[in-house]
């Protein structure tokens, strides 16, 4: 059965500019929408390029063709039916090749007068992109004009209230950098729920790039922050779509807007060091896996990894406003030991950094690293802590939802 997609319609409601597309298929929601504050509606294109890209992976999961009743960028349509699906099938072999049918129409190039945007979450990758491509540092034609914050599934089942709370925590950081932060709310996640395999980690490059296409009305470049260095690029079966970004992302644009991976020339350590010269990053970096209120717990995997990197490179104290260094001090010995023994990509990067910066691990950490029993105890302890914090976060969320309903 074909997925039929109608023309995008725009309407205003309660301060939102809503761009809605009717979708006809028994296993999918009746409409796909993107919305932003009404004051930003002039940035948004009503063309069907964003819906076409957003629906591709759900359609491939269902094994159903897509028939759009309107036009799609000539460049994008060719790529949707060719190389994009070839790459996605390599990454996720459970998908099925489908046909995307629409009237091809080239979009109008901006000829040098277009804006430049990037997504912003205040993590290491997005802060590094903000630092590199701020108008004070960027090459000509690449200086950032505005930032975006998307609700497309990174926070599963996130409601509008929670999304806006996160947006309001990020907005002051963007303002400190002299940039507007444009929110994009969408029900795209509901379409990806057609398959349990379509989780955010394996699909985020497509989801976020679809929101990038929304901005082609005035924007010529959407910079996508790379999570991995170029030497980790891989097109093959993986849960991590980000590893294919250098190959996949340039295919997702149109004649009006490029989708470009940036930051792949740097390792995670080099990105973290680059943030030292950004005051907003030093006071507002947010990498935490557990705390959803914009604060770092200073003990989860991502917090510990970032803190150890800062310690190795001699920059720990400069980020004392972003992290609780007393909490880190309690955990650092065993985490250093784990890193010394580790085989993950991030472990190896930190091991190389220890050599490059001549960081001498504490003797106790070296002893723990040589003892498998002690290391196993540490892993069990960390797992228990993560479980406790996760359960606590779920309970708080349920309590907030209950309070909102009452």
């Amino acid at each position: 059965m074909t997925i039929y997609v109608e023309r995008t319609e725009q309407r205003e409601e309660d301060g939102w500019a809503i761009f809605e597309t009717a979708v006809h298929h028994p296993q999918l929601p009746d409409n796909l929408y993107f919305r932003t504050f009404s004051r930003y509606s002039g940035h948004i294109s009503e063309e069907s390029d964003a819906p076409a890209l957003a629906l591709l992976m759900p359609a491939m999961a269902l094994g159903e063709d897509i028939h759009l009743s309107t036009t799609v960028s000539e460049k994008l349509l060719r790529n949707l039916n060719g190389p994009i699906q070839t790459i996605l099938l390599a990454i996720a072999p459970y998908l099925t090749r489908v046909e995307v049918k629409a009237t091809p129409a080239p979009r109008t190039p901006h000829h040098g007068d277009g804006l430049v945007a990037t997504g912003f979450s205040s993590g290491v990758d997005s802060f590094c992109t903000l630092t590199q491509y701020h108008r004070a540092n960027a090459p000509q034609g690449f200086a950032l004009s505005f930032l975006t914050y998307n609700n497309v599934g990174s926070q599963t089942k996130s409601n509008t209230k929670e999304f806006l709370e996160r947006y309001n925590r990020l907005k002051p950081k963007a303002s400190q950098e002299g940039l507007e932060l444009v929110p994009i709310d969408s029900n795209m996640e509901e379409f990806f729920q057609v398959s349990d395999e379509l989780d955010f980690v394996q699909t985020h490059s497509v989801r976020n790039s679809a929101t990038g296409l929304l901005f082609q009305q005035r924007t010529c470049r959407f910079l996508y922050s790379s999570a991995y260095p170029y030497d980790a690029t891989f097109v093959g079966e993986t849960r991590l779509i980000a590893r294919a970004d250098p190959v996949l992302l340039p295919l997702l644009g149109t004649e009006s807007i490029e989708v470009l991976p940036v930051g792949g020339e740097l390792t995670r350590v080099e990105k973290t060091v680059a943030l030292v010269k950004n005051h907003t990053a030093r006071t507002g970096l947010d990498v935490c896996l557990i705390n959803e209120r914009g604060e770092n717990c200073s003990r989860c995997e991502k917090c510990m990894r970032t803190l150890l990197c800062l310690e190795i490179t001699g920059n720990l104290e400069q980020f004392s406003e972003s992290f609780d260094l007393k909490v880190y001090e309690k955990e650092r010995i065993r985490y250093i030991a784990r890193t010394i023994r580790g085989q993950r990509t991030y472990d190896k990067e930190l091991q190389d950094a220890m050599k490059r910066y001549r960081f001498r691990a504490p003797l106790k950490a070296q002893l723990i690293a040589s003892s498998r029993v002690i290391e196993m105890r540490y892993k069990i302890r960390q797992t228990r802590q993560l479980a406790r914090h996760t359960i606590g976060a779920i309970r708080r969320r349920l309590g907030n939802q209950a309070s909102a309903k009452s």
Side-chain angles (χ1 to χ4, degrees), residues 135-154:
R135 54 181 168 268
N137 307 315
Q140 184 175 352
F142 286 81
L144 289 168
S145 310
F146 64 97
L147 310 176
T148 72
Y149 181 59
N150 305 327
N151 187 26
V152 292
S154 61

Side-chain angles (χ1 to χ4, degrees), residues 229-400:
Y230 285 127
D231 61 8
T233 301
F234 174 72
V235 178
E237 187 170 359
T238 177
R239 298 302 305 172
L240 305 171
I241 194 172
R243 294 190 62 187
D245 279 354
V247 182
L248 176 62
L249 293 176
L251 297 170
L252 305 184
T254 71
E255 297 84 355
S256 293
I257 187 168
E258 296 178 284
V259 181
L260 299 175
V262 294
E265 72 277 13
L266 302 175
T267 65
R268 174 72 44 166
V269 173
E270 290 168 336
K271 286 182 178 181
T272 305
V273 171
L275 303 186
V276 174
K277 57 187 177 184
N278 186 318
H279 178 266
T280 309
R282 294 199 303 272
T283 58
L285 185 64
D286 178 8
V287 300
C288 193
L289 287 171
I290 295 171
N291 195 330
E292 297 182 0
R293 293 174 294 181
E295 302 170 356
N296 293 305
C297 73
S298 303
R299 61 165 59 87
C300 73
E301 171 63 33
K302 286 188 72 175
C303 284
M304 293 297 292
R305 181 200 312 160
T306 305
L307 284 160
L308 178 54
C309 178
L310 291 169
E311 181 180 359
I312 291 170
T313 58
N315 296 301
L316 186 60
E317 291 294 333
Q318 296 193 59
F319 285 78
S320 60
E321 292 185 51
S322 290
F323 297 93
D324 188 333
L325 301 188
K326 292 181 179 178
V327 173
Y328 171 63
E329 183 63 29
K330 294 176 182 178
E331 307 288 341
R332 64 182 283 272
I333 294 295
R334 289 189 176 88
Y335 190 79
I336 292 173
R338 177 181 173 183
T339 301
I340 292 172
R341 289 177 52 120
Q343 297 298 316
R344 300 166 302 173
T345 301
Y346 297 134
D347 292 327
K348 292 177 180 178
E349 283 190 0
L350 290 172
Q351 291 164 11
D352 290 341
M354 289 179 186
K355 296 175 184 177
R356 189 183 326 135
Y357 288 89
R358 298 181 179 179
F359 175 79
R360 185 174 179 81
L363 179 59
K364 187 175 180 179
Q366 296 180 45
L367 293 173
I368 292 174
S370 65
S371 171
R372 184 171 297 274
V373 173
I374 296 175
E375 177 67 8
M376 287 302 296
R377 288 176 179 170
Y378 173 63
K379 289 181 178 179
I380 292 169
R381 179 185 172 200
Q382 287 290 91
T383 302
R384 287 174 176 169
Q385 286 182 344
L386 179 60
R388 284 198 299 272
H389 285 288
T390 302
I391 292 170
I394 292 171
R395 286 175 175 169
R396 286 192 297 274
R397 175 177 291 184
L398 292 175
N400 291 337

Side-chain angles (χ1 to χ4, degrees), residues 218-229:
R218 297 177 58 194
T219 302
C220 65
R221 292 191 174 97
F222 186 76
L223 307 183
Y224 201 105
S225 300
S226 297
Y228 293 94

Side-chain angles (χ1 to χ4, degrees), residues 44-204:
I44 307 300
S45 167
E46 293 185 39
E47 304 291 359
S48 295
D49 301 328
L53 179 56
L55 292 170
L56 180 62
M57 292 190 77
M60 294 176 72
L62 291 171
E64 306 278 23
D65 294 340
I66 304 174
H67 187 180
L68 296 103
S69 64
T70 183
T71 65
V72 169
S73 154
E74 185 176 73
K75 175 183 176 181
L76 178 64
L77 186 61
R78 178 260 179 190
N79 288 338
L80 287 171
N81 282 307
I84 293 174
Q85 288 195 53
T86 298
I87 294 169
L88 294 177
L89 286 166
I91 293 169
Y94 59 85
L95 298 175
T96 302
R97 187 175 290 276
V98 300
E99 183 179 1
V100 182
K101 304 173 185 178
T103 302
R107 305 305 183 207
T108 304
H110 289 286
H111 298 300
D113 61 350
L115 304 177
V116 180
T118 190
F120 182 66
S121 64
S122 78
V124 170
D125 294 321
S126 65
F127 250 129
C128 183
T129 297
L130 173 55
T131 302
Q132 282 188 302
Y133 293 93
H134 192 276
R135 54 181 168 268
N137 307 315
Q140 184 175 352
F142 286 81
L144 289 168
S145 310
F146 64 97
L147 310 176
T148 72
Y149 181 59
N150 305 327
N151 187 26
V152 292
S154 61
Q155 305 286 333
T156 306
K157 297 182 179 179
S158 171
N159 59 38
T160 300
K161 179 177 179 291
E162 292 170 336
F163 169 61
L164 290 177
E165 287 174 352
R166 294 194 301 273
Y167 167 79
N168 287 327
R169 287 195 296 267
L170 289 173
K171 187 178 178 182
K173 301 176 188 180
S175 297
Q176 287 178 44
E177 295 294 311
L179 294 166
E180 286 280 322
L181 183 64
V182 181
I184 294 290
D185 187 27
S186 176
N187 67 335
M188 196 190 305
E189 165 68 13
E190 296 176 17
F191 288 81
F192 282 78
Q193 290 174 4
V194 296
S195 169
D196 292 338
E197 301 277 4
L198 294 177
D199 61 28
F200 190 75
V201 175
Q202 199 174 39
T203 62
H204 66 81

